[in-house]
C-alpha cells in the first residue's frame, strides 16, 4: 500500500514541533508493522478549519491522480476541523478508491469503520468554533486593557510588551509624508509611484515578509490613510470573521469597536486624519464598469510579463507595470490596437494562401513529427529518473523502521528527493502540454476555419481566441504573436 501521511499542527511553537515529531514516530511504527510504503509526508502548520493549506491541497491533487492507496492521519481533526471540508476529502477519496485511516481507530474505511465519520466531523468543527469564541473573548479583554493584539503592527510602529512604539527609522516620516501628499491632492497610485521611485521599503519589506513586493501600491496607501492608529488611539476589533469555516471578514460598526485613546505616540494629528477622511469621502464616485477590450488578457509585456492595459486616448495598449509603478519599473511597450489587428489579419490571410502549398504542409507535418519524437524521448528519460528516485525513497523507509537510517538523514533525503521529483514532474507536464498545443492539430479543419474567418471584415474575439494564444510586445512596440497552430512569428 502506498501511504500518503498527513501531519498538521496549528502553530510553530516548540510544543507543536514536538507534536509533529511524535506523530511521525507513530506513523513509522504503524507502517513498519503493516509492511506498507510511504508515498509522501504532507505537513502543514496551519489551522484545520480552512482548506487553504498548501500540503493539503497537494494531497487532494495527488489523490485525484491516484498517486497513493491510503491516507493516514492521527485523527480526523488533523485532516479537517470543518464539516464541509471533511466530507469533500472523504468523497474525493471514495471516488478515487483511496482509503482513509486514522490512528485513533475512529475511521478506517479499509475495515469498514466509517459509520461515525459525520459525527466526528461535526464534533471537531464545534470544538473549533468554541475555541475561536474563547480566543476572541481573550483578545477583546486584552484590547480593553490597551494591548495591541494584531499580528503585525501598523507601518511606522513596533510592538513592545503589547504597546505600540515608534520605529527608530524613517517609516514614521514616510507616514507623515503620505498624509501630506494626499492633502495636496495627489492620489493613491501617484503617491505609491513616488515612494517606489525614491526607494523607500514597502511595509511588507519592512517587517521581513517572504516574497515581499518591491513596489508600493495604491491599496497600501489607502490602508495607511484610513488607519486611526496613527492618531495615537488604539482601535481594535474593526473586522470579524463570520465563523471558523468561513474566512470572509465583516466590518464591525464604529460603536462596537474597542477604542482606547492616547495609548501610544501619535504620528498624525486627529485634525489632519479627519481632513483626509473627509477628502476621501468627497472623492468617492461610482465608476462605470470597466470595458473589456479585444486584447485584454491576450497582450503582455515582453519584459515584465504583465498584462497590457488599454488606454482610450492612445487607442492602444501600454504595459500595466509602467502605468502603475512608473518608467523605472518597466518601459511603456506601447502598441496601437489597429496596428495589432492589421498584423494578425494579414498573417491569417497569408497563412490561408500558403496552406494550399504541398511543400508547406509537408514541412509542417515533418516539424511536428520531429518535435513529437524529441519530446517523447525527453519525457521517457524524465520518467525513468522519477521512478529511480521513488524506488530509492521507498527502500529507505525500511531502513528507517529498523533503525539503520536516522530520522534526520531520512527527512533530508526525502526533502531533496521530493524537490527533484516535483521539478521533473513539472518538466514532464510542460513537455506534454507543449506537444498537445503545438503538434496535435487538424490541418484541414484549421484551413476551413481560417477560410470562414476571412469572410469577415474585422478581427472578432472568436477569431482572436481560437487562433492566437498570446501576444508579447517588445520595448520598441514590436509584437511577437504566438499562434495556436505554429511557432512564434
Amino acid at each position: 500500500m502506498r501511504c500518503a501521511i498527513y501531519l498538521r499542527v496549528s502553530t510553530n511553537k516548540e510544543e507543536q514541533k514536538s507534536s509533529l515529531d511524535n506523530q511521525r514516530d507513530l506513523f513509522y511504527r504503524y507502517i513498519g508493522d503493516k509492511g506498507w510504503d510511504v508515498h509522501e509526508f504532507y505537513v502543514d502548520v496551519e489551522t484545520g478549519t480552512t482548506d487553504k493549506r498548501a500540503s493539503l491541497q497537494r494531497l487532494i491533487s495527488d489523490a485525484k491522480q491516484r498517486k497513493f492507496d491510503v491516507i493516514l492521519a492521527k485523527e480526523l481533526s488533523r485532516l479537517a476541523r470543518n464539516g464541509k471540508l471533511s466530507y469533500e476529502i472523504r468523497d474525493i477519496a471514495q471516488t478515487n478508491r483511496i482509503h482513509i485511516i486514522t490512528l485513533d481507530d475512529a475511521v478506517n474505511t479499509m475495515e469498514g469503520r466509517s459509520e461515525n465519520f459525520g459525527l466526528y466531523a461535526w464534533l471537531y468543527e464545534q470544538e473549533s468554533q468554541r475555541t475561536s469564541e474563547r480566543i476572541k473573548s481573550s483578545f477583546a479583554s486584552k484590547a480593553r486593557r490597551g494591548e495591541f493584539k494584531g499580528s503585525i503592527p501598523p507601518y511606522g510602529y513596533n510592538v513592545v510588551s503589547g504597546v505600540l512604539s515608534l520605529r527608530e527609522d524613517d517609516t514614521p516620516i514616510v507616514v507623515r509624508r503620505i498624509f501630506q501628499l494626499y492633502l495636496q491632492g495627489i492620489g493613491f497610485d501617484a503617491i505609491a509611484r513616488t515612494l517606489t521611485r525614491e526607494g523607500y521599503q514597502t511595509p511588507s519589506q519592512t517587517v521581513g515578509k517572504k516574497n515581499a513586493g518591491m513596489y508600493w501600491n495604491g491599496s497600501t496607501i489607502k490602508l495607511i490613510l484610513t488607519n486611526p492608529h496613527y492618531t495615537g488611539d488604539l482601535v481594535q476589533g474593526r473586522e470579524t470573521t463570520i465563523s471558523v469555516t468561513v474566512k470572509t471578514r465583516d466590518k464591525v460598526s464604529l460603536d462596537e469597536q474597542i477604542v482606547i485613546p492616547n495609548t501610544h505616540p501619535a504620528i498624525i494629528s486627529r485634525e489632519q486624519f479627519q481632513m483626509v477622511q473627509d477628502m476621501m469621502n468627497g472623492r468617492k464616485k461610482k465608476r462605470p464598469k470597466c470595458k473589456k477590450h479585444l486584447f485584454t488578457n491576450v497582450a503582455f509585456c515582453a519584459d515584465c510579463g504583465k498584462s497590457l492595459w488599454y488606454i482610450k486616448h492612445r487607442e492602444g495598449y501600454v504595459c500595466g507595470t509602467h502605468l502603475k509603478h512608473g518608467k523605472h519599473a518597466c518601459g511603456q511597450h506601447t502598441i496601437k490596437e489597429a496596428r495589432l489587428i492589421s498584423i494578425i489579419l494579414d498573417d491569417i490571410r497569408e497563412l490561408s494562401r500558403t496552406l494550399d502549398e504541398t511543400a508547406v504542409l509537408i514541412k509542417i507535418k515533418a516539424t511536428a513529427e520531429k518535435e513529437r519524437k524529441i519530446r517523447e524521448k525527453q519525457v521517457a528519460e524524465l520518467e525513468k529518473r522519477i521512478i529511480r528516485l521513488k524506488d530509492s525513497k521507498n527502500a529507505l523507509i525500511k531502513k528507517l523502521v529498523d533503525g539503520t537510517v536516522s530520522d534526520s538523514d531520512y527527512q533530508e533525503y526525502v526533502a531533496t528527493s521530493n524537490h527533484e521529483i516535483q521539478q521533473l514532474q513539472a518538466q514532464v507536464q510542460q513537455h506534454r502540454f507543449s506537444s498537445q498545443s503545438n503538434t496535435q492539430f487538424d490541418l484541414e479543419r484549421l484551413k476551413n476555419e481560417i477560410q470562414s474567418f476571412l469572410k469577415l471584415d474585422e478581427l472578432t474575439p472568436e477569431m482572436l481566441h481560437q487562433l492566437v494564444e498570446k501576444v508579447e510586445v517588445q520595448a520598441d512596440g514590436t509584437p511577437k504573436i504566438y499562434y495556436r497552430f505554429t511557432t512564434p512569428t
Side-chain angles (χ1 to χ4, degrees), residues 50-63:
T50 176
D51 64 348
K52 293 181 179 178
R53 290 175 259 156
S55 291
L56 177 65
Q57 287 300 319
R58 193 158 50 81
L59 181 144
I60 290 173
S61 175
D62 290 350

Side-chain angles (χ1 to χ4, degrees), residues 274-342:
Q274 191 56 50
M275 287 173 62
V276 167
Q277 308 316 302
D278 293 341
M279 281 184 65
M280 290 175 67
N281 290 329
R283 288 183 177 183
K284 285 181 179 177
K285 61 182 180 180
K286 290 185 178 180
R287 297 180 180 272
K289 188 176 181 180
C290 181
K291 180 182 177 183
K292 187 174 180 179
H293 290 273
L294 186 60
F295 292 96
T296 300
N297 298 326
V298 175
F300 298 90
C301 173
D303 288 337
C304 72
K306 299 297 183 182
S307 296
L308 299 189
W309 295 2
Y310 183 82
I311 305 300
K312 185 176 181 180
H313 70 272
R314 294 192 182 186
E315 298 180 345
Y317 298 83
V318 178
C319 171
T321 300
H322 174 85
L323 290 173
K324 195 168 186 179
H325 300 297
K327 62 183 180 181
H328 62 285
C330 196
Q332 292 192 41
H333 295 73
T334 304
I335 188 168
K336 295 283 187 182
E337 187 172 72
R339 179 180 174 225
L340 199 48
I341 291 172
S342 176

Side-chain angles (χ1 to χ4, degrees), residues 30 34 99-102 105-114:
Y30 186 88
K34 296 285 187 182
H99 291 289
I100 298 177
I101 298 176
T102 61
D105 279 335
V107 178
N108 188 328
T109 60
M110 192 175 292
E111 297 179 359
R113 285 201 305 278
S114 59

Side-chain angles (χ1 to χ4, degrees), residues 117-160:
F117 187 95
L119 175 62
Y120 282 107
W122 180 81
L123 286 172
Y124 287 132
E125 180 175 324
Q126 292 304 304
E127 181 184 339
S128 292
Q129 188 65 48
R130 289 192 295 273
T131 301
S132 175
E133 294 301 328
R134 289 196 297 270
I135 292 172
K136 284 182 180 179
S137 178
S138 173
F139 276 15
S141 297
K142 292 180 179 180
R144 291 188 182 93
R145 295 198 299 265
E147 294 184 35
F148 177 78
K149 299 311 300 173
S151 57
I152 299 175
Y155 180 73
Y157 288 105
N158 279 323
V159 178
V160 180

Side-chain angles (χ1 to χ4, degrees), residues 354-355 357-369 443:
T354 58
L355 272 177
E357 298 177 10
T358 303
V360 174
L361 292 176
I362 293 174
K363 184 178 180 181
I364 291 176
K365 288 179 180 179
T367 301
E369 181 63 19
L443 289 172

Side-chain angles (χ1 to χ4, degrees), residues 1-6 27 30-31 34 36-42 59 62-63 66-73 79 89 93 96-103 107-111:
M1 299 292 288
R2 298 168 299 166
C3 302
I5 304 173
Y6 185 76
F27 288 118
Y30 186 88
I31 293 170
K34 296 285 187 182
W36 291 347
D37 294 330
V38 175
H39 168 70
E40 190 171 341
F41 278 90
Y42 298 80
L59 181 144
D62 290 350
R66 299 185 181 182
K67 292 185 176 181
F68 45 78
D69 307 300
V70 59
I71 298 172
L72 297 180
L79 279 170
I89 295 172
N96 293 282
R97 304 294 189 271
I98 293 171
H99 291 289
I100 298 177
I101 298 176
T102 61
L103 297 193
V107 178
N108 188 328
T109 60
M110 192 175 292
E111 297 179 359

Side-chain angles (χ1 to χ4, degrees), residues 75-350:
E75 56 188 26
L76 187 59
S77 66
R78 296 299 93 193
L79 279 170
R81 287 183 175 271
N82 175 329
K84 180 174 178 288
L85 178 58
S86 297
Y87 283 117
E88 287 177 358
I89 295 172
R90 184 201 65 180
D91 292 345
I92 290 169
Q94 286 181 343
T95 301
N96 293 282
R97 304 294 189 271
I98 293 171
H99 291 289
I100 298 177
I101 298 176
T102 61
L103 297 193
D104 62 357
D105 279 335
V107 178
N108 188 328
T109 60
M110 192 175 292
E111 297 179 359
R113 285 201 305 278
S114 59
E115 65 275 5
N116 291 325
F117 187 95
L119 175 62
Y120 282 107
W122 180 81
L123 286 172
Y124 287 132
E125 180 175 324
Q126 292 304 304
E127 181 184 339
S128 292
Q129 188 65 48
R130 289 192 295 273
T131 301
S132 175
E133 294 301 328
R134 289 196 297 270
I135 292 172
K136 284 182 180 179
S137 178
S138 173
F139 276 15
S141 297
K142 292 180 179 180
R144 291 188 182 93
R145 295 198 299 265
E147 294 184 35
F148 177 78
K149 299 311 300 173
S151 57
I152 299 175
Y155 180 73
Y157 288 105
N158 279 323
V159 178
V160 180
S161 301
V163 179
L164 293 176
S165 63
L166 292 176
R167 289 178 63 94
E168 295 181 355
D169 54 22
D170 57 4
T171 55
I173 298 172
V174 174
V175 172
R176 295 189 190 98
R177 186 156 180 234
I178 288 171
F179 276 83
Q180 290 167 356
L181 290 172
Y182 190 80
L183 288 171
Q184 293 171 14
I186 301 175
F188 304 141
D189 289 336
I191 295 174
R193 287 194 294 271
T194 298
L195 298 180
T196 299
R197 185 172 61 252
E198 294 177 0
Y200 288 108
Q201 282 195 332
T202 65
S204 295
Q205 289 176 319
T206 301
V207 298
K209 278 189 178 180
K210 291 181 180 178
N211 301 320
M214 60 186 294
Y215 301 126
W216 283 78
N217 290 297
S219 57
T220 304
I221 301 300
K222 184 178 180 180
L223 285 175
I224 290 174
L225 291 171
T226 55
N227 193 334
H229 284 124
Y230 293 118
T231 64
D233 297 342
L234 191 65
V235 183
Q236 299 187 101
R238 291 186 286 168
E239 292 182 342
T240 185
T241 53
I242 298 174
S243 73
V244 292
T245 60
V246 179
K247 297 307 178 183
T248 302
R249 302 185 69 84
D250 281 347
K251 289 186 177 181
V252 176
S253 61
L254 186 60
D255 57 342
E256 294 181 358
Q257 296 176 15
I258 301 172
V259 182
I260 310 296
N262 303 317
T263 60
H264 55 271
I267 296 179
I268 302 299
S269 69
R270 289 186 176 84
E271 294 76 18
Q272 193 176 18
F273 182 81
Q274 191 56 50
M275 287 173 62
V276 167
Q277 308 316 302
D278 293 341
M279 281 184 65
M280 290 175 67
N281 290 329
R283 288 183 177 183
K284 285 181 179 177
K285 61 182 180 180
K286 290 185 178 180
R287 297 180 180 272
K289 188 176 181 180
C290 181
K291 180 182 177 183
K292 187 174 180 179
H293 290 273
L294 186 60
F295 292 96
T296 300
N297 298 326
V298 175
F300 298 90
C301 173
D303 288 337
C304 72
K306 299 297 183 182
S307 296
L308 299 189
W309 295 2
Y310 183 82
I311 305 300
K312 185 176 181 180
H313 70 272
R314 294 192 182 186
E315 298 180 345
Y317 298 83
V318 178
C319 171
T321 300
H322 174 85
L323 290 173
K324 195 168 186 179
H325 300 297
K327 62 183 180 181
H328 62 285
C330 196
Q332 292 192 41
H333 295 73
T334 304
I335 188 168
K336 295 283 187 182
E337 187 172 72
R339 179 180 174 225
L340 199 48
I341 291 172
S342 176
I343 291 172
I344 292 174
L345 287 175
D346 288 345
D347 280 350
I348 292 172
R349 293 187 184 102
E350 179 64 17

